Amino acid sequence: MTSSTKEDFECLPGPSDGITDVAWSPTADYLAVASWDTQVRVYEVNSITRATVAKAAVAHEGPVFSVCWSPDGTKLASVGADKSIRVLDVASGQTIQQQNAHDAPIRACKWTLVNNQNSILVTGGWDKQVKYWMVGPGGLQPMGSLLLPERCFAMDCIGSLLVIGTAERHAVIVDLATNPMQPATAPAGTPLKMQTRAISCFPDGKGYAVGSVEGRIAVQNLDPTKQSSNFAFKCHREGTVAYGVNSIKFHPKFTGTFASAGSDGVISFWDKESKQRLESFPSPNVPIAAMDFNRDGNLLAYAISYDWSCGHEQYNPNGKNAVMIHRLHDTEVRPRSSAFRRR
């Protein structure tokens, strides 16, 4: 089945260049958007009136690659090519920054709550390092770092589980509660044969899904007794042409459902337990560069933007860059497995 996008609406005013990341606040319908135009934009989204209001902006000195919210929704972090971290305090509108936080561009940032009490900002860079930060009234305080086998290409964490996908297909698993300075197991290759593009942790923190540039996704359980449930499958393909998987996100309510977005311009919803596709968006003939579910799971933000998967030769300076909001219905994301779980 195919979902309808005719009622989707756009966040305005939109970015003037390619979009790299989108992230919903965990406490309200505020959406943060990162862009190559060096800006982070924050929108307030009203799905009833189909209106968006620009609420805040944060400027970097280079392209912005990743944004994330603090677990309580009071702060927004952003990182990018300028090797700096910016943290916006939502209430005051003030921004603190850490210049040269890494020795190379910072590819990803995630904010997590370890053991339901310690709020940690995690950043992963092309300097082959993951760094941990505490954000307080005095600014950003470094808490330690982890050396990676290669550059960070994708990263996600939930609770104490941190998963980093690097160049050369390494997957690094870290238990933040016990030893954040060392991998929980020796870094291993992902089940996929090509470069890692996206990673998303299971909502229960017991595994992860990883996507690659060749249009494949692997679902990996970390419980040794459930290794037989691991699987990989082809997706985002048109005939013999394979497209990269740019983003993977698990649904916050139907936790067995996840979405994938690709360079083919398609978003698909998948049932992890029954290993079936549930629904898909029709292709807008432009890559979907990033996406995210809001906290209630009734809205999906997705970014229509060139993702550089075909190199600079295919770049169109007049191409569309837009962040769209899709109102979800349970029929699109409800798992077909009889014992689906709801958070």
Side-chain angles (χ1 to χ4, degrees), residues 1-2 46 48 51-52 61 67 82 86 94 97 116 122 124 153 161 207 250 254 262 266 286 292 307 326-327:
M1 296 181 67
T2 301
N46 188 321
I48 297 176
T52 62
E61 295 176 5
V67 287
D82 61 2
R86 304 285 207 278
Q94 299 297 309
Q97 62 184 15
N116 293 318
V122 185
F153 279 180
L161 174 64
F250 279 87
F254 299 111
V266 174
V286 180
D292 195 25
D307 59 1
H326 176 75
R327 187 168 182 84

Side-chain angles (χ1 to χ4, degrees), residues 230-312:
N230 295 342
F231 66 98
F233 62 97
K234 297 178 182 178
C235 55
H236 298 285
R237 293 175 178 237
E238 185 176 343
T240 59
V241 179
Y243 296 88
V245 179
N246 291 330
S247 183
I248 301 172
K249 297 290 180 179
F250 279 87
H251 195 268
K253 182 172 71 170
F254 299 111
T255 56
T257 295
F258 65 91
S260 65
S263 296
D264 57 347
V266 174
I267 294 176
S268 293
F269 302 118
W270 309 90
D271 180 353
K272 175 169 69 73
E273 302 304 325
S274 66
K275 303 178 183 178
Q276 298 181 69
R277 182 166 61 183
L278 301 173
E279 294 271 356
S280 63
F281 278 43
S283 172
N285 297 316
V286 180
I288 306 296
M291 65 174 176
D292 195 25
F293 291 109
N294 72 337
R295 70 196 191 284
D296 295 325
N298 63 347
L299 298 177
L300 178 74
Y302 62 98
I304 299 172
S305 178
Y306 184 58
D307 59 1
W308 299 97
S309 59
C310 295
H312 67 87

Side-chain angles (χ1 to χ4, degrees), residues 3-314:
S3 299
S4 173
T5 58
K6 64 181 181 180
E7 295 184 357
D8 295 0
F9 57 98
E10 185 176 351
C11 293
L12 296 173
S16 60
D17 204 341
I19 301 160
T20 55
D21 198 13
V22 296
W24 287 100
S25 164
T27 58
D29 282 339
Y30 286 89
L31 180 69
V33 177
S35 173
W36 279 87
D37 66 9
T38 76
Q39 298 291 312
V40 176
R41 295 168 175 82
V42 180
Y43 302 91
E44 183 179 18
V45 178
N46 188 321
S47 62
I48 297 176
T49 63
R50 293 163 46 87
T52 62
V53 178
K55 302 295 290 186
V58 178
H60 279 250
E61 295 176 5
V64 189
F65 294 153
S66 183
V67 287
C68 65
W69 295 85
S70 62
D72 61 5
T74 62
K75 295 177 177 62
L76 173 69
S78 54
V79 298
D82 61 2
K83 301 181 284 188
S84 73
I85 304 171
R86 304 285 207 278
V87 178
L88 171 69
D89 184 278
V90 175
S92 68
Q94 299 297 309
T95 301
I96 59 175
Q97 62 184 15
Q98 181 75 33
Q99 299 282 15
N100 297 313
H102 282 249
D103 297 326
I106 308 173
R107 177 62 185 88
C109 63
K110 295 293 178 181
W111 216 318
T112 190
L113 196 62
V114 180
N115 292 333
N116 293 318
Q117 56 184 1
N118 296 320
S119 179
I120 298 175
L121 175 63
V122 185
T123 57
W126 289 344
D127 58 356
K128 304 180 184 180
Q129 291 190 81
V130 162
K131 294 190 176 184
Y132 308 109
W133 308 86
M134 181 176 292
V135 183
L140 282 85
Q141 302 298 323
M143 300 174 61
S145 63
L146 168 67
L147 184 63
L148 299 173
E150 253 294 349
R151 293 155 291 162
C152 172
F153 279 180
M155 185 175 75
D156 194 23
C157 61
I158 186 165
S160 61
L161 174 64
L162 169 64
V163 183
I164 310 109
T166 75
E168 304 301 328
R169 300 186 303 107
H170 296 291
V172 181
I173 314 298
V174 182
D175 186 341
L176 296 174
T178 58
N179 189 358
M181 311 307 172
Q182 293 290 333
T185 59
T190 74
L192 306 177
K193 297 180 180 180
M194 300 292 283
Q195 176 184 307
T196 299
R197 196 70 172 266
I199 281 180
S200 184
C201 295
F202 294 178
D204 61 6
K206 295 182 179 180
Y208 66 96
V210 55
S212 74
V213 297
E214 64 164 338
R216 287 179 184 265
I217 292 175
V219 176
Q220 296 291 104
N221 291 274
L222 296 178
D223 185 341
T225 66
K226 294 185 177 180
Q227 296 300 297
S228 61
S229 298
N230 295 342
F231 66 98
F233 62 97
K234 297 178 182 178
C235 55
H236 298 285
R237 293 175 178 237
E238 185 176 343
T240 59
V241 179
Y243 296 88
V245 179
N246 291 330
S247 183
I248 301 172
K249 297 290 180 179
F250 279 87
H251 195 268
K253 182 172 71 170
F254 299 111
T255 56
T257 295
F258 65 91
S260 65
S263 296
D264 57 347
V266 174
I267 294 176
S268 293
F269 302 118
W270 309 90
D271 180 353
K272 175 169 69 73
E273 302 304 325
S274 66
K275 303 178 183 178
Q276 298 181 69
R277 182 166 61 183
L278 301 173
E279 294 271 356
S280 63
F281 278 43
S283 172
N285 297 316
V286 180
I288 306 296
M291 65 174 176
D292 195 25
F293 291 109
N294 72 337
R295 70 196 191 284
D296 295 325
N298 63 347
L299 298 177
L300 178 74
Y302 62 98
I304 299 172
S305 178
Y306 184 58
D307 59 1
W308 299 97
S309 59
C310 295
H312 67 87
E313 295 88 355
Q314 298 298 317

